[in-house]
Amino acid sequence: MRIDKLLAHSGLGTRKEVKKLLKTSIVEINGETVKDPKTQVNPDVDEVLIAGESLDYQEYVYFILNKPAGVISATEDDMHETVLDLLQPSDIVQEPHPVGRLDIDTEGLLLLTNDGALTHRLLSPKHHVDKKYFAEIKGIVTEKDITKFKEGVELDDEYLTMPAELTIIDIDIEEETSKIEIVIQEGKFHQVKRMFHAVDKEVLYLKRLSMGSLSLDPLLELGAYRECTKEEVQRLKA
């Protein structure tokens, strides 16, 4: 790739800013000073130094975010704050995107990456990636609902969902509410909410706990994020 693109993607500034940086003669490729922004460089082979310091370039970035309510799973929007607005500027330069979507009022785990191949694998229906949610439900969830979800639920558009694993955590008889966990392998629009609506119940609160092998970090506060560990990325790709 071009050296100016490499420097920009490494968080050293915009294309315009790194061109100014190159003019200062502090960038070297394999021991030779480089000023031309069009100079080609292979980050896997060539040694790039900035003022004598080695440049550590990562082609792909992977972030785990604890999405808060009120923020949309998009890269840009004129009306609402997006998940990218929660990232530091240096973490946006490589253009990560949310892997799948969480509703604006849904909280929890969201993976952000610029790895298109991994995104495709995680979202492709044929790979059957589990997505686990915690929810508070208006209504008493029963064993009948568990059986219904296991068979697949017909939504309001007559779509029959894939089998889902529904687990009752707690029932409040007086308040007529339930706390549950549900595992699905699809990502239809408002799917969990529509599934419970199909059995005459309402989702009051929804939080994603995991996606595939990646689980929400309990130390991450709402709106906070961190880089995925190498082990987490390897498990996602496995």
Side-chain angles (χ1 to χ4, degrees):
M1 69 174 69
R2 287 170 47 139
I3 184 63
D4 59 345
K5 182 178 180 180
L6 175 68
L7 297 178
H9 277 199
S10 298
L12 295 178
T14 64
R15 287 286 188 96
K16 185 177 181 180
E17 289 169 339
V18 299
K19 286 178 181 178
K20 291 182 179 180
L21 180 70
L22 286 163
K23 291 180 180 179
T24 63
S25 301
I26 65 170
V27 179
E28 296 180 17
I29 300 178
N30 299 327
E32 295 188 7
T33 301
V34 174
K35 293 185 177 182
D36 185 357
K38 297 180 181 179
T39 301
Q40 294 293 311
V41 58
N42 184 342
D44 294 328
V45 176
D46 298 322
E47 181 185 40
V48 180
L49 301 180
I50 310 296
E53 297 291 331
S54 180
L55 179 69
D56 183 19
Y57 172 73
Q58 291 178 289
E59 182 178 5
Y60 298 119
V61 293
Y62 307 88
F63 302 114
I64 176 174
L65 168 71
N66 188 358
K67 184 187 109 48
V71 177
I72 65 171
S73 303
T75 56
E76 59 182 352
D77 190 86
D78 295 331
M79 300 281 292
H80 303 283
E81 185 179 24
T82 74
V83 290
L84 289 194
D85 293 326
L86 301 176
L87 304 186
Q88 294 294 321
S90 59
D91 290 329
I92 300 177
V93 292
Q94 286 176 266
E95 301 178 350
H97 55 260
V99 179
R101 292 179 179 271
L102 292 180
D103 298 339
I104 189 169
D105 58 349
T106 299
E107 298 179 356
L109 171 71
L110 191 64
L111 175 65
L112 301 169
T113 183
N114 58 347
D115 187 338
L118 177 61
T119 298
H120 175 73
R121 284 199 297 273
L122 291 174
L123 298 182
S124 174
K126 68 179 181 179
H127 287 115
H128 305 301
V129 176
D130 287 344
K131 305 171 187 69
K132 179 187 285 188
Y133 294 82
F134 166 81
E136 295 179 5
I137 306 297
K138 182 179 180 181
I140 304 299
V141 178
T142 66
E143 291 295 327
K144 183 179 178 181
D145 295 324
I146 293 177
T147 301
K148 183 68 175 176
F149 277 46
K150 190 177 295 185
E151 295 172 348
V153 177
E154 185 175 303
L155 303 182
D156 47 16
D157 59 358
E158 300 183 351
Y159 175 81
L160 182 65
T161 69
M162 293 175 60
E165 181 182 342
L166 178 59
T167 304
I168 300 171
I169 297 175
D170 186 49
I171 299 291
D172 189 325
I173 299 297
E174 292 186 0
E175 295 292 331
E176 294 189 353
T177 58
S178 308
K179 293 180 180 179
I180 62 93
E181 285 185 356
I182 181 173
V183 178
I184 63 175
Q185 295 182 336
E186 300 169 288
K188 300 296 181 182
F189 182 68
H190 293 322
Q191 180 167 337
V192 175
K193 296 175 182 176
R194 292 165 68 197
M195 290 177 75
F196 277 100
H197 181 73
V199 292
D200 299 318
K201 295 175 179 65
E202 179 185 354
V203 174
L204 302 175
Y205 172 79
L206 189 61
K207 178 179 184 178
R208 184 153 70 187
L209 303 177
S210 65
M211 181 177 191
S213 63
L214 187 64
S215 297
L216 182 63
D217 189 333
L219 299 180
L220 281 179
E221 297 182 358
L222 281 172
Y225 73 100
R226 66 164 174 78
E227 284 192 64
C228 292
T229 65
K230 290 183 179 179
E231 292 75 15
E232 286 171 332
V233 174
Q234 288 172 352
R235 288 199 302 269
L236 281 172
K237 291 184 175 182

